[in-house]
Amino acid sequence: VGCKAILVFFQYGVMANFYWLLVEGLYLHVLLVLIFSPNRHFTVYLLIGWGIPTIFIITWTVTRIILEDTGCWDTNEHGGPWWVIRIPILISIIVNFILFISIIRILLQKLRSPDVGGNDQSQYKRLAKSTLLLIPLFGVHYTVFALFPDRSSNNYKIIFELCLGSFQGLIVAVLYCFLNSEV
């Protein structure tokens, strides 16, 4: 029971990580689109970041108990319970990637406006810098292997996620906190 409980909390942490990346994307998108919005929607963000993973982890736990209650739940012989976690994570990755593209489009429109000074080269440098800063914040690197089957790309996926995913929090902290003069 203890091993299963630890695995449930582990899976909850993984899913909450993806949904908090989604919340960051939603928050930034709302800031850019609705400039004068007095309502900050923090309760909705909290429900998305903690609530949606809770619902799916409870559903996953129940389906594991009913369909595949063997061992410590660290293997997936049947695909059903695993997809209860996998589909919401894939949806959050896809929605976050769409928000990322939308924000890049908004930044490109703002850089092309006549109010922004500078030549084309400096505008593209600003766009490239903005894009590179948003990649770790949105977790865009997860889209690389999101739609591939686990068995076909498992070795490359592990190496890729260990290299980029492990340092994502550090990269975001350095870029948005330690190098930010406002913080």
Side-chain angles (χ1 to χ4, degrees):
V1 174
C3 180
K4 292 176 184 178
I6 289 170
L7 193 67
V8 167
F9 284 116
F10 171 75
Q11 294 294 349
Y12 178 75
V14 169
M15 187 175 268
N17 175 54
F18 284 103
Y19 274 87
W20 277 106
L21 288 173
L22 177 63
V23 167
E24 289 180 25
L26 286 170
Y27 181 71
L28 187 58
H29 192 265
V30 166
L31 282 177
L32 289 173
V33 173
L34 302 173
I35 296 171
F36 297 110
S37 175
N39 191 355
R40 294 289 182 195
H41 310 287
F42 289 120
T43 306
V44 175
Y45 297 143
L46 288 172
L47 289 174
I48 292 171
W50 297 120
I52 291 176
T54 301
I55 292 168
F56 284 105
I57 291 300
I58 290 171
T59 306
W60 175 74
T61 304
V62 170
T63 56
R64 279 306 286 229
I65 290 170
I66 294 171
L67 297 177
E68 192 178 1
D69 193 11
T70 58
C72 184
W73 295 354
D74 58 346
T75 59
N76 297 308
E77 294 175 14
H78 299 87
W82 180 242
W83 286 104
V84 172
I85 293 177
R86 185 91 172 133
I87 287 175
I89 288 174
L90 287 174
I91 290 170
S92 73
I93 290 170
I94 291 167
V95 170
N96 219 13
F97 186 71
I98 291 169
L99 289 171
F100 173 75
I101 297 298
S102 176
I103 289 173
I104 296 301
R105 184 185 53 82
I106 291 169
L107 289 174
L108 187 61
Q109 287 175 350
K110 289 184 185 257
L111 286 175
R112 287 187 176 168
S113 73
D115 297 337
V116 177
N119 57 13
D120 285 340
Q121 186 177 7
S122 69
Q123 290 177 352
Y124 288 117
K125 280 184 180 178
R126 280 190 241 160
L127 179 64
K129 182 180 175 185
S130 301
T131 303
L132 290 174
L133 285 172
L134 289 176
I135 287 174
L137 183 68
F138 278 65
V140 172
H141 61 279
Y142 290 116
T143 59
V144 174
F145 290 103
L147 300 177
F148 286 105
D150 282 337
R151 290 182 183 95
S152 68
S153 61
N154 203 19
N155 292 335
Y156 301 113
K157 181 179 179 180
I158 289 172
I159 293 169
F160 189 77
E161 286 188 0
L162 284 175
C163 292
L164 289 179
S166 297
F167 293 106
Q168 179 185 3
L170 177 66
I171 292 168
V172 169
V174 168
L175 292 175
Y176 290 97
C177 296
F178 303 134
L179 296 178
N180 189 347
S181 62
E182 294 177 9
V183 176

